[in-house]
Amino acid sequence: MMFELSIIPTAQQRARHTRSGMAYKSREQEANERTLEALLLCHKPEKPLCGPVKLDFTAYMPIPASTSKKRRVDMQAGKIGHTVKPDVDNLAKQLLDAMTRLRFWDDDRQIVELTCRKRYAEEPRWEICVQQVPEMAL
């Protein structure tokens, strides 16, 4: 299954802690998770995927408003990589956790192959491809 989510990709943030040591999520993190889950919901399979799963995603990040026209063209053409925050592993964590909570699969340990990319784009979005992998293909 392939689909696109028209939203600025966000990354999993580190847990915050109270003075007594209790961990909690920031309001911003909780809002990001709720928004991502709401957009993912219509793409959720009827039943969780079984067996090995391959996940491939590209996070298209917004081009900063202050970027020159020449640099903007190079960013759109992929000549300039998105080498600033958020980190690609934190983007993956945010997406995997949301898809696991929505039961795209039973557990994210089923992910046997993960391909992550981040790029600049005029229209920020997630492009996601999820595939079951036949046991024999491993």
Side-chain angles (χ1 to χ4, degrees):
M1 86 181 76
M2 293 179 68
F3 55 92
E4 193 174 292
L5 305 176
S6 296
I7 184 176
I8 296 173
T10 59
Q12 183 76 31
Q13 297 177 356
R14 297 195 187 280
R16 301 191 178 241
H17 295 84
T18 63
R19 290 181 192 205
S20 62
M22 296 290 294
Y24 68 96
K25 293 179 182 179
S26 69
R27 285 191 179 120
E28 179 185 11
Q29 175 65 34
E30 288 182 348
N32 289 340
E33 288 177 8
R34 281 192 306 273
T35 303
L36 181 58
E37 287 176 7
L39 292 171
L40 283 167
L41 198 56
C42 63
H43 302 285
K44 175 185 165 187
E46 286 184 30
K47 295 188 303 188
L49 300 173
C50 297
V53 175
K54 176 182 176 181
L55 176 65
D56 183 310
F57 77 82
T58 304
Y60 288 94
M61 307 303 289
I63 297 173
S66 61
T67 305
S68 71
K69 287 181 183 178
K70 181 186 181 330
R71 242 176 114 67
R72 181 175 296 272
V73 168
D74 288 345
M75 287 175 164
Q76 288 175 317
K79 294 178 183 175
I80 298 175
H82 189 280
T83 58
V84 296
K85 287 189 176 191
D87 298 350
V88 75
D89 60 321
N90 293 329
L91 288 165
K93 179 76 172 140
Q94 178 90 320
L95 185 61
L96 279 164
D97 286 354
M99 293 176 85
T100 301
R101 280 191 299 274
L102 290 174
R103 306 231 346 130
F104 273 72
W105 40 73
D106 288 319
D107 193 287
D108 57 6
R109 69 175 174 247
Q110 290 173 249
I111 306 296
V112 296
E113 189 174 331
L114 177 64
T115 305
C116 314
R117 290 173 295 282
K118 59 180 184 166
R119 308 270 190 267
Y120 283 109
E122 286 294 334
E123 295 179 29
R125 64 193 181 280
W126 293 94
E127 284 184 359
I128 302 164
C129 179
V130 181
Q131 294 177 300
Q132 281 188 283
V133 180
E135 293 283 348
M136 293 174 53
L138 297 173

